[in-house]
Amino acid sequence: MLRFFLLVNKQGQTRFSRYYSGMPIQAEERVLMEADIARKCLKRSDVQCSIFEYGQYKLAYRRYASLFFVIGFDEEENHLSILELVQAYVEILNTYFDNVCELDIMFNIEKVHVILEEMVSNGRIVETNKHNVLAPVLEMNKASR
Amino acid sequence: MNSRLPTILNTTYLTSGLSRGFFEFVTRVGEARSKQEEDRYVSQEIVSLKTKLNHPDISSRKIRDYITRLIYCEMLGYNVEFGHIHAVKLAQSAKGLWDKRIGYLACSLFLHETHELSIMLINTLQKDLKSSNYLEVCAALTALCHLLNKDMIPAVFGLVEEALSHPKDIVRKKAVMVFSRLFHDAPDTMIHLDEKFRQMLTERDPSVLGSILCLFLEFIKADPNKFKDLVPSLISILEQVLDRWLPRSYDYHGVPAPWIQIKIIENMGLLARDDEKISSEVGPLIVHTLRKAENGVDAAYAIIFECIRAISRLHPQTLSTIIHKSPNLNPLNVITRFLKSNNHNLKYLGLTCLSEIDPMWWIEGEWWGEEQMNIIVDCLEERDDTLKRKTLDLLYAMVNSQNVVVVMEHMINALRTISTTDEFSRLLLVNRIVEISGKYPLNLQNKDYDKAVDSTFLIISKSIESKEKSEEIRQYAVSEAIKILESDINNTTKNLTSWALRILGEFVKSTELQEKIYNRLCDLLTQVDYEIQAQVITTLLKCVSKMKYCPDNIIECVAKCCQSSSGDVKQRSREFIILSKDFVLLDKIIKPYENFDDFTIDESLSFLDNFVENALKNGAKPYNRIPITREDTNAATEIRYEAYEKPNMTYFPKQIMTSLPTYDDSRLSESDRDVLLPNDRSNQSSRGVGPPVTPGQLAWFGVTQEHLPPENVHEHTSLLADSQEPNYNDYEEIDSNRQSVISLIPKMKLQPSTQSWSRAGYKPVNSTESDKFIKYNTSNTRSSLRSSDKVLSIASVTSKTTMTPEKEKLASALFSGVGTSDPGQ
């Protein structure tokens, strides 16, 4: 199952993070871990594997422009499906925000959370259909107007 | 990031509908240049938010804004506990849908399961679950996935169950996920819902499909047997997905619903484990899915991987049918394709697939061979550490009694290079090494024994986890060592005794050294043979250095050893006697094991150079290596390009080479026909005389002047100008700075008539030639070697090509015994 979902930029600043149950971690440790992960991702070259081990978890990461999308998961999960999840997620964000960029994510952090909630629940991938994921969000937007 | 000025006209600002305050806050924090700056801003913001939130009358919208800022701060690691209650209040009293959703979101993020405030949410949750607006129900259900705890269950259970039949599919989907969470905490409460879930699965509502499959995955993992009847359902769903019956929106990059496919396959694999009937039903479909997925898209690779995982879980009977059907159709061939690709991710995929499959299947179906093995060996040396680690995993999976030594070697190397902060992988590696060595206790030869001992030392000396743990290990090791030594020495093998002695010497602490240990060691001195005696003496030395005090009885015992006939023991005991009196010197010599890796041995003894210089200045005679005196030193040391004259002397069978010439690095001569022995200017000689002892000599003996046209000489010098290191495995080993001794032999020319060398010694010869200490160019050797038919051609001996033979050797060593009847791990 997924343990956490993290967006860090090239300077090591966390732009978005979501942790799933079973990941007992305090705030200070969390910050350190995120910085450490950002460093490790930065060190890797483009040619190297997109998966690497970090303690007891495996990390799958992808870089989009200046942001690293990092997912930490357990050994038994299909790592390629996780990588594809990242891609699907970015595509969905792209559709919603129209050419999403880092700023969009920063200023709409609650929306980003909600979209992720639609896709991943309990650390499992539930929905990847773009339409299904965005429908409730768009509904809510309509209702708020 | 691009910093944009936070102006009102900024498009992002306008479209986001956010307040000015939020915008400014986020921009400032986002653009902060240093941690302190960020710290300052965020702390300021937190303080201001505190006051703002405590105002009695603020609009829902404003609260939402503040709470969002709190979410941000919390994400950056700051404490926002005061905000928790406000989040709860927001979820309760929110007017708009977004406000409610964000309130729940904040609660999910801030509160964990056992938090007191989550109790306050129960009422809100109940209200929302009953709401007529499906979005509110969704919000509540999503929050429940995170916040569900024992107290809440009775209150909300019924409502969630009702939600399973809600008209809206999103609601049903989320309700299923709540149950998946509930399954972990209270599985018994859900038994009656079994029917309901099965019904949902067979309904095949595509949007619920994802979540219901997740749920069943949990169920099946817990108890596969109960759900074997689901197989036909799963099969038909998968078939429909593959036939593209799902709406277009489920396609992802051309692949129909990849995640759903993956889930179904995973489920099927788990159900088919150890069950032949199901395996036979499911097997062909999985292979079919694999075929369909071979269209080169990333998502498809994920499906392929899952298929292979499932295949590895199938019953062996089915598996062998699948594999043997036809070599081209063997589904495992994809693994080879992955391994061969240049993309590291695909290589990683290949390696992972391999490690899933039992090595037994590698041999069957003959899709596996040296080629793949070579690729794996290459991966071992990749710079990409993920690949390296995965290959190590693979090695661990394929270890058997034949290749265990090689595998252990690699693991121990890896242990050395893994950084000390990566506790988890070190632990894993150590566990594996221990497990393997336990399973395959071989009669280790000395070389392997050394490696095994080294690894034990490594494990003990590098601190593992906490100081207490490593202290524990140390103590345990020392006490075990003492136990071994105290038992009857004749019963323990040499290796074990020697290991125990080394452990004792290195790791015992001075506080633990007692009389009886010393006495025991002294007793041992009289009971054991030379090798162990030597080790006992060294151990005593180490103990004494820690104690800084040497009891007399020890000195007596060791003194007895001074009379030993073994040179090693004698030397050590004498050193002991001297060193035991001088503790300062002893300290400098005995280094603890951690510094082992820094040990280098200076073979040229350069540290003694000063000493030698001083001695020479004071009139000592320089060391004359070979007491061959030559009178005439006007040797022609230049290169001579013409061939020498043919030998015209008859061959005297009694010529014996009495001494192999030595050489002096500084007198490197380019000449290819330089003379070693003085008067042999003109001769090349012989055929197999005397005791032909080495292959090199044999080679030389095969050479005569006729074989070597003069022109070749030039070719050879130029050819081999670059390669300085002759790599003749069959010949004596010499370090790279010196020529092979054998290479000098061809240069020896015996002058039959004027020689009178005997075994007894050297005789001074009146020579016209020079040079005693001459070093020969490799070219010469090679030319002579080339002409001999006993020797390999040069091409195979250059340094560049030795890499692949080594790797090939490694590959075949690893490959040996794979897939044999060794019981798996």
Side-chain angles (χ1 to χ4, degrees):
Chain A
M1 62 178 274
L2 273 71
R3 293 295 179 185
F4 56 87
F5 193 109
L6 194 58
L7 266 68
V8 276
N9 75 354
K10 281 195 172 171
Q11 276 84 37
Q13 297 171 305
T14 310
R15 292 299 181 214
F16 173 82
S17 75
R18 187 82 197 236
Y19 290 82
Y20 293 99
S21 61
M23 182 82 190
I25 190 164
Q26 300 302 323
E28 307 84 32
E29 270 180 53
R30 216 178 53 201
V31 172
L32 287 172
M33 187 181 85
E34 287 165 9
D36 196 29
I37 291 179
R39 267 199 299 275
K40 287 220 157 76
C41 287
L42 283 168
K43 259 203 290 185
R44 294 177 75 87
S45 78
D46 280 336
V47 188
Q48 283 181 315
C49 239
S50 297
I51 321 263
F52 63 95
E53 303 199 8
Y54 185 77
Q56 51 185 147
Y57 306 116
K58 283 217 169 111
L59 296 185
Y61 74 98
R62 272 230 165 113
R63 188 178 73 81
Y64 292 92
S66 57
L67 271 183
F68 284 104
F69 284 68
V70 185
I71 299 189
F73 57 97
D74 280 341
E75 184 76 35
E76 40 174 59
E77 197 77 33
N78 183 334
H79 58 268
L80 276 178
S81 80
I82 305 263
L83 273 180
E84 288 313 301
L85 176 71
V86 173
Q87 176 68 19
Y89 185 59
V90 173
E91 284 181 8
I92 292 181
L93 284 181
N94 212 23
T95 318
Y96 183 72
F97 287 114
D98 253 340
N99 291 330
V100 65
C101 67
E102 194 175 338
L103 285 179
D104 287 320
I105 297 183
M106 283 168 65
F107 290 125
N108 295 287
I109 192 164
E110 75 281 3
K111 302 217 177 72
V112 175
H113 267 287
V114 168
I115 293 179
L116 187 60
E117 272 182 343
E118 295 293 322
M119 291 177 80
V120 179
S121 182
N122 272 346
R124 304 272 176 206
I125 305 175
V126 180
E127 185 68 65
T128 47
N129 182 333
K130 205 182 283 191
H131 174 77
N132 289 356
V133 169
L134 288 179
V137 183
L138 295 171
E139 247 336 288
M140 286 205 281
N141 282 347
K142 237 193 325 185
S144 305
R145 296 266 159 74
Chain B
M1 77 178 196
N2 293 332
S3 84
R4 303 192 208 168
L5 296 171
T7 60
I8 301 278
L9 301 174
N10 184 307
T11 30
T12 323
Y13 171 52
L14 285 174
T15 51
S16 65
L18 295 165
S19 75
R20 181 102 186 259
F22 183 86
F23 190 85
E24 279 177 8
F25 165 61
V26 174
T27 327
R28 259 192 278 128
V29 169
E31 289 180 358
R33 292 262 161 263
S34 70
K35 187 81 177 121
Q36 290 91 334
E37 226 183 301
E38 182 194 286
D39 227 3
R40 234 183 329 128
Y41 287 142
V42 177
S43 318
Q44 271 173 10
E45 188 70 30
I46 290 184
V47 167
S48 88
L49 283 173
K50 218 178 200 164
T51 34
K52 284 187 200 164
L53 278 170
N54 281 331
H55 273 174
D57 251 336
I58 7 171
S59 72
S60 195
R61 188 139 188 189
K62 281 224 174 98
I63 301 188
R64 165 188 157 187
D65 193 292
Y66 301 150
I67 297 277
T68 317
R69 287 190 234 181
L70 280 181
I71 292 179
Y72 212 93
C73 299
E74 208 263 342
M75 182 179 81
L76 293 173
Y78 298 87
N79 183 332
V80 290
E81 273 201 55
F82 66 92
H84 296 178
I85 183 70
H86 294 283
V88 175
K89 274 205 286 194
L90 178 62
Q92 266 175 350
S93 59
K95 299 286 175 5
L97 283 167
W98 268 113
D99 303 338
K100 190 175 271 288
R101 190 69 195 253
I102 290 178
Y104 275 128
L105 173 67
C107 291
S108 320
L109 290 173
F110 297 162
L111 311 175
H112 51 87
E113 299 146 17
T114 54
H115 209 274
E116 313 86 45
L117 289 180
S118 55
I119 304 181
M120 294 177 62
L121 269 178
I122 295 184
N123 252 333
T124 331
L125 283 167
Q126 281 180 325
K127 206 180 77 182
D128 283 324
L129 283 170
K130 287 190 256 193
S131 155
S132 52
N133 186 337
Y134 80 96
L135 288 167
E136 287 184 354
V137 184
C138 282
L141 287 170
T142 319
L144 264 179
C145 279
H146 280 271
L147 295 170
L148 195 63
N149 63 17
K150 295 219 172 46
D151 306 320
M152 284 192 204
I153 296 179
V156 299
F157 191 90
L159 292 168
V160 181
E161 192 179 337
E162 273 174 36
L164 278 178
S165 324
H166 198 279
K168 272 283 185 181
D169 46 12
I170 287 188
V171 176
R172 294 201 297 268
K173 175 170 70 173
K174 290 197 184 278
V176 170
M177 283 323 284
V178 173
F179 278 116
S180 142
R181 165 75 192 257
L182 193 55
F183 185 68
H184 280 289
D185 299 330
D188 319 314
T189 46
M190 289 168 51
I191 300 185
H192 63 281
L193 287 171
D194 211 31
E195 263 312 308
K196 177 78 184 156
F197 292 134
R198 282 170 199 258
Q199 189 205 2
M200 285 177 95
L201 179 66
T202 45
E203 264 171 13
R204 295 157 211 198
D205 187 353
S207 54
V208 183
L209 206 50
S211 53
I212 200 90
L213 283 170
C214 279
L215 185 64
F216 273 110
L217 195 61
E218 306 280 326
F219 287 169
I220 292 177
K221 274 196 196 151
D223 183 7
N225 293 321
K226 262 189 2 184
F227 298 96
K228 300 226 164 160
D229 53 324
L230 287 176
V231 171
S233 253
L234 288 175
I235 292 183
S236 76
I237 297 178
L238 185 55
E239 281 174 350
Q240 287 184 338
V241 171
L242 287 173
D243 287 337
R244 296 182 184 263
W245 277 65
L246 284 176
R248 264 308 184 77
S249 55
Y250 283 90
D251 282 0
Y252 175 77
H253 292 193
V255 183
W259 285 272
I260 293 186
Q261 284 188 44
I262 291 177
K263 282 204 244 292
I264 298 181
I265 295 175
E266 205 178 337
N267 278 327
M268 290 203 288
L270 285 172
L271 284 172
R273 208 185 246 172
D274 298 328
D275 183 329
E276 192 180 345
K277 177 165 164 301
I278 297 187
S279 293
S280 52
E281 287 169 24
V282 152
L285 181 57
I286 295 185
V287 177
H288 177 64
T289 319
L290 201 146
R291 295 264 164 263
K292 277 228 159 165
E294 285 182 350
N295 57 5
V297 180
D298 275 351
Y301 293 139
I303 300 178
I304 295 180
F305 176 58
E306 198 61 50
C307 286
I308 296 199
R309 262 223 284 222
I311 288 180
S312 71
R313 290 186 182 132
L314 290 179
H315 193 266
Q317 192 69 20
T318 325
L319 192 48
S320 64
T321 337
I322 293 179
I323 291 186
H324 286 286
K325 221 182 236 182
S326 128
N328 297 346
L329 293 181
N330 185 347
L332 301 178
N333 276 330
V334 292
I335 300 185
T336 322
R337 278 198 352 244
F338 287 149
L339 284 177
K340 285 200 196 158
S341 100
N342 281 328
N343 182 335
H344 279 219
N345 279 334
L346 289 180
K347 268 210 182 125
Y348 182 75
L349 180 61
L351 289 172
T352 322
C353 288
L354 261 188
S355 51
E356 298 275 337
I357 302 192
D358 200 320
M360 178 170 76
W361 298 107
W362 299 4
I363 311 287
E364 297 235 10
E366 299 128 21
W367 59 281
W368 184 252
E370 288 288 324
E371 201 191 343
Q372 285 88 341
M373 242 12 242
N374 283 339
I375 300 179
I376 294 191
V377 169
D378 276 333
C379 284
L380 261 182
E381 327 214 330
E382 275 277 353
R383 272 175 313 143
D384 189 346
D385 63 322
T386 320
L387 287 181
K388 258 203 269 215
R389 296 239 189 125
K390 203 66 207 177
T391 324
L392 271 178
D393 284 347
L394 194 57
L395 288 184
Y396 171 68
M398 56 185 246
V399 74
N400 58 50
S401 51
Q402 285 165 10
N403 57 21
V404 63
V405 172
V406 184
V407 171
M408 284 284 278
E409 220 179 280
H410 279 280
M411 286 192 152
I412 294 176
N413 278 336
L415 190 62
R416 274 188 224 273
T417 51
I418 291 182
S419 85
T420 41
T421 49
D422 195 352
E423 293 303 341
F424 185 75
S425 31
R426 289 168 57 86
L427 202 61
L428 186 63
L429 209 49
V430 167
N431 279 339
R432 284 188 175 165
I433 293 180
V434 168
E435 192 187 324
I436 298 181
S437 50
K439 257 208 260 169
Y440 301 103
L442 300 178
N443 239 339
L444 296 175
Q445 293 153 346
N446 281 333
K447 170 173 72 102
D448 308 323
Y449 161 71
D450 278 339
K451 286 198 200 119
V453 172
D454 276 345
S455 71
T456 352
F457 276 98
L458 205 66
I459 294 170
I460 298 180
S461 63
K462 293 217 172 151
S463 58
I464 305 178
E465 274 179 55
S466 55
K467 282 277 175 227
E468 298 98 51
K469 274 274 175 74
S470 66
E471 179 59 28
E472 253 180 66
I473 292 177
R474 197 197 56 78
Q475 274 177 347
Y476 177 71
V478 170
S479 59
E480 285 296 308
I482 295 180
K483 261 195 245 165
I484 292 175
L485 291 175
E486 283 180 352
S487 65
D488 185 3
I489 206 72
N490 296 324
N491 267 346
T492 45
T493 63
K494 226 191 210 176
N495 278 349
L496 195 55
T497 324
S498 145
W499 176 89
L501 283 170
R502 283 171 74 174
I503 295 275
L504 194 61
E506 277 296 328
F507 294 111
V508 72
K509 281 221 173 101
S510 51
T511 45
E512 293 170 359
L513 280 174
Q514 301 156 347
E515 280 276 336
K516 61 175 184 146
I517 300 182
Y518 279 136
N519 290 341
R520 180 63 191 151
L521 288 172
C522 289
D523 287 338
L524 278 177
L525 273 180
T526 50
Q527 292 173 12
V528 295
D529 67 358
Y530 300 136
E531 282 176 41
I532 309 286
Q533 262 183 354
Q535 293 198 314
V536 173
I537 296 181
T538 317
T539 311
L540 276 172
L541 196 61
K542 290 183 188 165
C543 293
V544 163
S545 89
K546 291 184 194 173
M547 281 283 282
K548 305 255 189 289
Y549 151 75
C550 187
D552 288 329
N553 55 343
I554 300 189
I555 301 194
E556 272 174 38
C557 286
V558 176
K560 285 196 211 133
C561 292
C562 287
Q563 318 301 333
S564 159
S565 57
S566 151
D568 192 12
V569 175
K570 237 198 276 199
Q571 175 71 11
R572 290 193 198 214
S573 48
R574 289 197 182 158
E575 283 176 3
F576 183 94
I577 306 265
I578 298 179
L579 285 172
S580 60
K581 308 210 174 75
D582 185 355
F583 288 111
V584 175
L585 183 59
L586 192 55
D587 267 340
K588 285 203 209 148
I589 297 177
I590 307 252
K591 288 195 172 65
Y593 190 73
E594 287 98 67
N595 301 334
F596 193 69
D597 292 331
D598 308 330
F599 249 31
T600 48
I601 298 185
D602 185 351
E603 281 185 12
S604 64
L605 303 179
S606 56
F607 52 88
L608 288 177
D609 280 344
N610 270 340
F611 181 75
V612 171
E613 261 180 56
N614 286 335
L616 284 175
K617 272 197 225 143
N618 295 337
K621 272 189 177 176
Y623 176 54
N624 202 351
R625 281 193 233 212
I626 283 215
I628 300 175
T629 52
R630 306 262 189 274
E631 285 165 17
D632 188 347
T633 52
N634 308 338
T637 48
E638 299 108 9
I639 297 180
R640 184 184 153 133
Y641 289 101
E642 302 87 17
Y644 290 104
E645 300 84 6
K646 276 199 187 177
N648 49 14
M649 295 285 192
T650 51
Y651 166 63
F652 280 25
K654 292 219 179 58
Q655 303 300 335
I656 301 175
M657 288 179 289
T658 52
S659 71
L660 291 177
T662 57
Y663 31 77
D664 179 357
D665 288 2
S666 60
R667 311 278 211 124
L668 178 62
S669 148
E670 295 289 319
S671 147
D672 47 8
R673 284 275 176 266
D674 264 310
V675 182
L676 179 64
L677 305 177
N679 24 5
D680 273 355
R681 172 174 282 194
S682 53
N683 296 343
Q684 202 34 300
S685 101
S686 70
R687 318 247 158 196
V689 73
V693 288
T694 61
Q697 288 184 348
L698 279 176
W700 177 67
F701 289 137
V703 170
T704 59
Q705 192 64 5
E706 288 92 32
H707 289 191
L708 233 44
E711 306 82 64
N712 281 356
V713 164
H714 298 279
E715 272 173 52
H716 298 157
T717 35
S718 57
L719 251 188
L720 303 160
D722 50 346
S723 129
Q724 293 301 317
E725 300 165 24
N727 199 345
Y728 312 113
N729 297 335
D730 305 319
Y731 300 85
E732 287 174 20
E733 281 182 3
I734 291 282
D735 87 346
S736 52
N737 285 336
R738 310 175 190 183
Q739 286 297 322
S740 157
V741 171
I742 305 310
S743 63
L744 302 169
I745 295 173
K747 317 312 180 295
M748 285 198 242
K749 299 175 186 42
L750 304 181
Q751 173 83 305
S753 56
T754 54
Q755 294 285 8
S756 40
W757 297 87
S758 69
R759 275 201 195 276
Y762 317 115
K763 278 201 176 173
V765 187
N766 31 334
S767 82
T768 47
E769 290 293 315
S770 72
D771 256 57
K772 335 154 192 186
F773 318 120
I774 293 173
K775 187 165 178 179
Y776 292 93
N777 204 335
T778 45
S779 60
N780 214 12
T781 331
R782 304 220 180 179
S783 53
S784 50
L785 285 176
R786 174 169 278 173
S787 41
S788 153
D789 35 279
K790 288 203 200 224
V791 171
L792 302 167
S793 69
I794 293 180
S796 65
V797 194
T798 53
S799 41
K800 290 188 185 83
T801 51
T802 48
M803 281 312 285
T804 4
E806 262 173 34
K807 275 198 180 172
E808 275 172 13
K809 263 193 248 171
L810 178 59
S812 40
L814 282 172
F815 187 44
S816 71
V818 159
T820 51
S821 55
D822 255 328
Q825 5 337 14

